Amino acid sequence: MKTIAFFLLMFFILQFTVAQNDFQRVFNSKINSTKENVRIEFLDDLGNSGYLPISIIKGKTHGPVFTIVAGVHGYEYPPIIATQALLKEINPEELRGTLIIIPIANLASFYTRTPFINPQDQKNLNNAFPGKKVGSITDRIAFFIRENIIAVSDVFLDVHGGDAPEDLLPFVCYYDNQRKQEQTNLAKKLSENSGFQYVVSYPYKLTATEAAKYTFKQAVQDGKIALSIECGKLGNVQKENVNLIQQGIYNMLETMDMYYNGTGAHKDIVYRNRQTYVKANVDGIFYSNFKAGDEVKKDEVVGYTTDEFGTILEEHIAISDGIILYMLATPPVNAKDTVMCISSYVEN
Ligand SMILES: [Zn+2]
């Protein structure tokens, strides 16, 4: 019996190794104008299995490697649906360089309709970087993305939206990494050309050895040009948000001289570089008369939380003036949740 178990184990390990090399084999192929899909299999020590779908589109001529990831959070649908449209539309004959597209990074979250986390190991893929070679399934997926996909990317775009309970104003964002000015400048230029009105930058203070946690922050730490789109809300597919994402990606590809289907930058770009976060201190039922995109004033009451009998437990207060970039928009609230992200602009 032990021998059979050993051979079975070897068989699984071998399968795993072969499957993981599939990406490298396709990516390194010298054949132009091709589109190949691979599924990278994962199996962890807890018995969780799954795969990462990856489409590799090689253009007619040599050029940059541009990666697009959707579904790191599987309940954020507009990024996933926009990516599906791109997969259908993009003609390799008209492409310069290579596109790597991960249409749904967290399939278990998608198919079980679970916000934020992978229900198999209860981990958030967007909190798991750099990942672990031998960890639970989310750690392994993060590790694979970093070692194989980020490593070969020139530009890395991670597309998100408001998750199931979140209202959100569409925006494009990048890290203001002062130590890598060239990459930061190009991430800013891609953001400005995306067609999104709101261009948001985050401060970047990560050292080389700290865990990046977030998917596109890992790409920044690894010296790549990286940015993120946030578009869509409340676990729904809004046609206008799908279109914004699609157009945003075409505009970025055009900026990179890789594909020509752009519509140009927004005529009235609004820059934001300072975010404050209103946090909940209690569990309860959340109320607010505000929505994403509304202006709020410092010290204004922006919502409140009651217990199950209607007694007010907490009033939520704006920490700064600004617009609501995203906010909780459904009743359940848990202590430590971000109730609201308020965004403003300060001159350096
Ligand atoms: Zn997300």
Side-chain angles (χ1 to χ4, degrees):
M1 278 303 281
K2 261 190 180 161
T3 328
I4 294 168
F6 175 76
F7 277 114
L8 269 175
L9 183 73
M10 287 313 287
F11 173 74
F12 280 122
I13 289 171
L14 209 63
Q15 249 205 340
F16 174 78
T17 320
V18 169
Q20 293 224 341
N21 283 338
D22 265 6
F23 170 76
Q24 297 293 345
R25 176 184 59 74
V26 175
F27 180 79
N28 292 321
S29 141
K30 299 278 179 251
I31 306 165
N32 289 339
S33 304
T34 54
K35 185 168 164 183
E36 271 203 71
N37 303 324
V38 296
R39 286 179 169 147
I40 307 300
E41 310 264 354
F42 296 88
L43 174 67
D44 71 14
D45 298 339
L46 305 166
N48 297 313
S49 62
Y51 62 87
L52 185 66
I54 310 173
S55 190
I56 300 127
I57 308 175
K58 298 219 146 214
K60 194 175 174 130
T61 53
H62 190 71
V65 177
F66 195 116
T67 295
I68 302 158
V69 185
V72 162
H73 293 134
Y75 213 119
E76 297 168 5
Y77 299 139
I80 292 168
I81 301 306
T83 307
Q84 289 299 306
L86 289 170
L87 281 171
K88 206 190 282 180
E89 285 175 10
I90 287 185
N91 178 1
E93 284 291 327
E94 293 169 18
L95 173 70
R96 182 180 82 95
T98 302
L99 283 180
I100 300 173
I101 299 179
I102 301 179
I104 307 175
N106 187 346
L107 277 177
S109 154
F110 180 76
Y111 284 119
T112 60
R113 307 181 183 98
T114 306
F116 303 112
I117 58 164
N118 181 334
Q120 293 171 300
D121 59 5
Q122 302 288 310
K123 286 183 184 170
N124 183 343
L125 180 57
N126 208 29
N127 207 22
F129 284 81
K132 288 181 196 141
K133 190 172 187 178
V134 182
S136 65
I137 187 153
T138 300
D139 302 318
R140 288 176 192 239
I141 292 171
F143 185 83
F144 181 89
I145 290 174
R146 188 202 182 188
E147 296 291 313
N148 293 275
I149 313 270
I150 291 176
V152 299
S153 301
D154 294 303
V155 182
F156 187 90
L157 171 70
D158 188 19
V159 193
H160 287 254
D163 217 300
E166 292 171 332
D167 187 15
L168 180 140
L169 180 71
F171 64 97
V172 58
C173 55
Y174 65 95
Y175 284 100
D176 186 14
N177 182 2
Q178 312 273 353
R179 295 198 302 271
K180 295 255 167 69
Q181 207 56 61
E182 197 185 320
Q183 288 90 328
T184 302
N185 289 347
L186 191 45
K188 181 172 185 242
K189 188 176 161 197
L190 288 166
S191 301
E192 289 171 334
N193 288 356
S194 68
F196 279 84
Q197 181 171 23
Y198 284 85
V199 173
V200 174
S201 67
Y202 298 113
Y204 183 84
K205 297 181 186 111
L206 207 63
T207 65
T209 51
E210 270 176 292
K213 292 186 180 178
Y214 309 120
T215 316
F216 90 103
K217 199 172 191 179
Q218 181 68 63
V220 175
Q221 194 183 40
D222 293 346
K224 306 297 177 172
I225 298 147
L227 66 169
S228 183
I229 286 172
E230 289 276 358
C231 188
K233 58 187 178 183
L234 289 161
N236 271 292
V237 180
Q238 302 92 16
K239 189 90 181 85
E240 69 274 20
N241 287 330
V242 172
N243 291 343
L244 273 175
I245 295 167
Q246 224 180 314
Q247 213 47 67
I249 293 171
Y250 279 132
N251 282 326
M252 289 179 194
L253 293 177
E254 185 151 335
T255 304
M256 295 298 298
D257 277 320
M258 292 176 69
Y259 204 80
Y260 299 96
N261 195 20
T263 47
H266 196 281
K267 286 180 197 68
D268 187 20
I269 292 176
V270 180
Y271 292 93
R272 298 277 136 166
N273 61 3
R274 180 177 179 250
Q275 281 65 249
T276 61
Y277 302 88
V278 180
K279 296 274 185 182
N281 295 301
V282 291
D283 297 354
I285 303 168
F286 172 72
Y287 296 87
S288 175
N289 291 323
F290 290 87
K291 61 181 189 309
D294 284 350
E295 295 263 359
V296 297
K297 290 274 169 225
K298 186 176 189 293
D299 298 329
E300 188 173 359
V301 177
V302 292
Y304 62 93
T305 293
T306 73
D307 67 12
E308 305 84 357
F309 301 105
T311 307
I312 294 179
L313 300 175
E314 181 179 19
E315 280 189 328
H316 303 287
I317 313 287
I319 307 156
S320 59
D321 291 358
I323 46 150
I324 301 168
L325 216 47
Y326 54 88
M327 62 177 282
L328 189 64
T330 56
V333 63
N334 299 295
K336 295 182 187 161
D337 278 355
T338 297
V339 163
M340 205 171 267
C341 170
I342 300 167
S343 189
S344 57
Y345 185 82
V346 283
E347 292 289 346
N348 284 324

